[in-house]
Amino acid sequence: MNKSIYLFFTASLLIFSCSQKNQYGSDISTDSEQIEAGKVLFENNCSSCHNFQQNGIGPNLSGVTHNVETEWVRNFIKDPAKVIDANDLRAASLFKVYNTYMPAFPGLKEENLDNILAYLHTYETLPDTLPQIGLENPIPDSIPDSGVRLALEFYTQIPASNPEPPLAKITKLESESVSGRTFVSDQHGTLYELKDGKHSVYLPLKEVRTELVSKPGLATGFGSYAFHPEFTTNGLLYTSHTEPAGTIPADFTYADSINVKMQWVLTEWKTDNPEAATFQGEGREFMRINVVTVIHGVQELAFNPNSKPGSEDYGFLYVGIGDGGAAESGFAFIPDHHGSKVWSSIMRINPAGRNSANGKYGIPETNPFAGQDGKAGEVYAYGFRNPNRVFWDTKGRMFATEIGHHNVEELNLIEPGNFYGWPIREGSFIINPYGDMGSVFPITDQDKNLPSTYPIIQIDHDEIAAIIGGYFMPSGPLRDKWVFGNITSGRLLFADLSNLNNVTFASWGITYQGKEMSLQELCGSKRVDLKFGQDKTGQVYLMTKADGKIYKIKD
């Protein structure tokens, strides 16, 4: 079922009131074995986006099968794009809200659908909503089209690691900083080296970490990687990946009464020969973190590329971790707004140190909360729902993209010790993590003095649904501009970050083999799953996870 189905469920909430009486669901089974089987299917395929307490990535599902026809549900799951494009009332209503197509889930058999429906039907009550009505259009300004069109040149295609789109969950493409060797990761557990348009396996992470799981969820598996700035001499490489709950005791936990769905594992790898074509060596786990759901984990590892030997920041690893879906699951106190926990933060650690609580890494003494009682010394900045990309410009300024909840996508300037709002802010708006998280509200007089740092770019969901950060273009009409886009639709944008007091941004487009087209047309899917990459020469790449292809962006 996955994220695709939230179109249907939200549409039903938009159209039907909780007071409506009907006979929907009368054909749904109440057999206990089917309900239990449906629960397993739901947890494995749907829980990353939905729960029965409040709106998450998708809406609260409680009561929806009591308010929409069963056959409609089946048809939508099989081919949501077909239903939306046919201007079905429910689907069309939701599309106006989310402005994005969700993927189909054709792999479910009829008996699977029966079981899922049986489980959903055990929840009868639609959620209450706040009496206050949130902002209908938080950011009314629209994004202009720059008229810029850049050509794409096919570079390579990564082998399919999934039978259905996205075929290859390629996520990060960057170079080792000294040698310039270029790599790309697939979330299903492989790190490839790229050379002259060809790919070869460098680190088969799934084979050496057999507990790695990349399903269920949009963001499980192989999260990120980063080569130590002295990799060519010390052979050190860092990765993050997910393993099942309870694999081994975690370093960062919460109350036993709260669900643990996954554990994020950080590993330091040391190769015997940094010049070898494939990794040969050993791995050392140094951090393990429990999370509530399969979303918002450790999806970014990075070293500051501007830091040089002898400088204070040299060799320190930045780790971006979201809230693990805690706020949307009713546990907003896990990603607290006091800097006392590692969730929802960008951490900075010294892999070579040993003064952490588990003795496996170091906490730099210059970290903003190092040595402070009641604070997490690892935390560099905090208050993020999902800081999926961390990067620096040539001026040494640090930035992070933040995927929003229901309304706002963000780019933030990162400064040590600052709080960036989540879970009580989305962009520069108030959000209620214990109420209707689908709504945002204006900052009030009593809230305006909260020491929260607001985005330098914020875009609402009538423009893009999920931000993905890119890189600075080295030349051409977008020279020195930061390119980014919308993960789902593949809409392409750029921003001028030269003056952070007056950041401007606009859209751009692509041509392929001399023809202007959208990325949806190029990859043959309405869900593009857009990602960017850059090699040591400055060449920027565009990746479409839907078909596993990588393109060079030409001037």
Side-chain angles (χ1 to χ4, degrees), residues 286-309:
F286 63 92
M287 186 184 295
R288 183 174 290 251
I289 307 170
N290 284 345
V291 288
V292 178
T293 73
V294 295
I295 56 175
H296 310 167
V298 183
Q299 295 178 276
E300 181 66 299
L301 302 176
F303 289 94
N304 182 349
N306 300 310
S307 182
K308 304 302 179 184

Side-chain angles (χ1 to χ4, degrees), residues 49-295:
C49 303
H50 303 285
N51 62 67
F52 302 99
Q53 299 170 334
Q54 60 184 349
N55 294 334
I57 292 179
N60 185 329
L61 302 191
S62 184
V64 291
T65 54
H66 296 264
N67 290 280
V68 70
E69 304 92 334
T70 305
E71 189 61 24
W72 192 96
V73 181
R74 294 178 180 278
N75 291 336
F76 190 89
I77 294 171
K78 292 173 183 177
D79 194 345
K82 181 179 179 180
V83 180
I84 297 168
D85 292 345
N87 291 320
D88 176 89
L89 177 60
R90 296 186 184 99
S93 297
L94 182 66
F95 190 72
K96 291 180 180 179
V97 176
Y98 285 86
N99 194 31
T100 186
Y101 286 90
M102 295 298 118
F105 207 82
L108 288 175
K109 300 177 181 179
E110 290 298 322
E111 63 187 63
N112 299 142
L113 296 175
D114 290 341
N115 295 341
I116 290 172
L117 290 170
Y119 176 60
L120 293 177
H121 207 57
T122 63
Y123 292 87
E124 298 183 1
T125 306
L126 287 173
D128 293 330
T129 57
L130 291 175
Q132 182 181 4
I133 298 175
L135 295 172
E136 181 177 351
N137 187 11
I139 306 171
D141 295 340
S142 60
I143 300 174
D145 182 2
S146 67
V148 173
R149 302 294 182 264
L150 300 181
L152 296 187
E153 177 185 289
F154 176 75
Y155 181 68
T156 193
Q157 182 166 9
I158 300 302
S161 56
N162 199 47
E164 299 169 359
L167 297 180
K169 298 184 76 173
I170 43 180
T171 304
K172 183 174 184 176
L173 188 162
E174 287 187 347
S175 293
E176 191 280 313
S177 61
V178 177
S179 68
R181 295 171 64 184
T182 302
F183 300 84
V184 65
S185 57
D186 184 320
Q187 283 178 252
H188 287 308
T190 304
L191 182 63
Y192 295 94
E193 182 172 2
L194 302 176
K195 187 176 182 180
D196 299 327
K198 298 180 180 180
H199 50 79
S200 60
V201 175
Y202 179 70
L203 174 62
L205 187 61
K206 174 62 176 174
E207 295 181 15
V208 294
R209 286 293 183 265
T210 56
E211 296 290 341
L212 182 150
V213 290
S214 56
K215 293 182 179 180
L218 303 173
T220 56
F222 185 177
S224 186
Y225 67 90
F227 287 87
H228 192 281
E230 295 179 4
F231 171 79
T232 55
T233 55
N234 67 19
L236 296 179
L237 163 68
Y238 299 87
T239 65
S240 65
H241 73 273
T242 48
E243 294 185 3
T247 301
I248 65 173
D251 300 302
F252 294 96
T253 63
Y254 37 78
D256 292 343
S257 59
I258 302 174
N259 178 64
V260 177
K261 185 65 177 180
M262 291 284 175
Q263 296 182 324
W264 277 94
V265 183
L266 276 64
T267 306
E268 177 185 79
W269 302 91
K270 182 172 177 59
T271 181
D272 299 331
N273 178 8
E275 297 179 358
T278 58
F279 178 88
Q280 297 291 331
E282 299 292 334
R284 176 183 71 88
E285 177 182 325
F286 63 92
M287 186 184 295
R288 183 174 290 251
I289 307 170
N290 284 345
V291 288
V292 178
T293 73
V294 295
I295 56 175

Side-chain angles (χ1 to χ4, degrees), residues 363-471:
I363 298 175
E365 61 181 14
T366 52
N367 275 9
F369 304 125
Q372 294 187 27
D373 291 339
K375 301 290 187 179
E378 293 87 350
V379 169
Y380 188 78
Y382 63 108
F384 304 99
R385 178 177 180 266
N386 185 8
N388 67 335
R389 172 97 177 93
V390 174
F391 65 99
W392 290 258
D393 66 7
T394 56
K395 297 178 181 179
R397 299 177 300 187
M398 180 180 174
F399 301 88
T401 51
E402 164 86 324
I403 294 181
H405 177 63
H406 187 69
N407 286 280
V408 182
E409 304 300 300
E410 306 176 20
L411 174 67
N412 289 287
L413 174 68
I414 304 302
E415 297 180 315
N418 282 18
F419 169 58
Y420 289 82
W422 187 258
I424 58 176
R425 295 287 185 271
E426 185 176 359
S428 60
F429 303 94
I430 293 174
I431 187 172
N432 179 4
Y434 295 103
D436 175 15
M437 292 184 68
S439 298
V440 294
F441 307 93
I443 301 294
T444 64
D445 288 341
Q446 66 185 28
D447 290 301
K448 65 183 180 181
N449 294 325
L450 178 78
S452 179
T453 302
Y454 296 121
I456 58 172
I457 293 177
Q458 59 177 7
I459 303 172
D460 69 6
H461 281 194
D462 59 4
E463 296 283 352
I464 66 172
I467 191 171
I468 182 63
Y471 299 82

Side-chain angles (χ1 to χ4, degrees), residues 505-521:
F505 51 96
S507 65
W508 58 284
I510 59 102
T511 63
Y512 184 66
Q513 296 180 344
K515 180 182 178 181
E516 183 175 341
M517 64 180 66
S518 70
L519 289 179
Q520 291 175 327
E521 294 171 318

